[in-house]
Amino acid sequence: DIAAPQLKQYFSRFGNVARARVVFNNETGFNRGYGFVIVEDEKLMDSILKTDPHVLEGNVLKVQKVM
């Protein structure tokens, strides 16, 4: 399973990542299959969005901009 440190490390290759979070199910303790990466720079976000695919530990990540 991918945890927040791996997610942050992966996206840090594009620039400064302020925070990364993986969402977990409180009842089972398993991740819910999605997370959030917070960046402070719009150009960094654009660079991340233009790169496709994103693959981390054999998992293809679907990247979307959330307002």
Side-chain angles (χ1 to χ4, degrees), residues 2-66:
I2 297 170
Q6 289 92 353
L7 198 60
K8 185 173 183 175
Q9 181 180 14
Y10 174 82
F11 285 104
S12 289
R13 69 184 186 163
F14 294 94
N16 187 38
V17 173
R19 183 171 174 226
R21 178 175 157 239
V22 176
V23 179
F24 288 87
N25 181 309
N26 291 333
E27 293 179 19
T28 66
F30 293 111
N31 77 45
R32 298 186 71 182
Y34 66 95
F36 299 93
V37 175
I38 299 171
V39 298
E40 297 174 0
D41 184 292
E42 193 72 25
K43 289 181 183 179
L44 171 60
M45 176 55 69
D46 290 341
S47 178
I48 290 171
L49 290 170
K50 289 178 184 174
T51 302
D52 192 41
H54 291 280
V55 181
L56 178 58
E57 296 183 10
N59 298 288
V60 176
L61 308 178
K62 182 178 179 183
V63 178
Q64 299 174 318
K65 185 175 184 177
V66 178

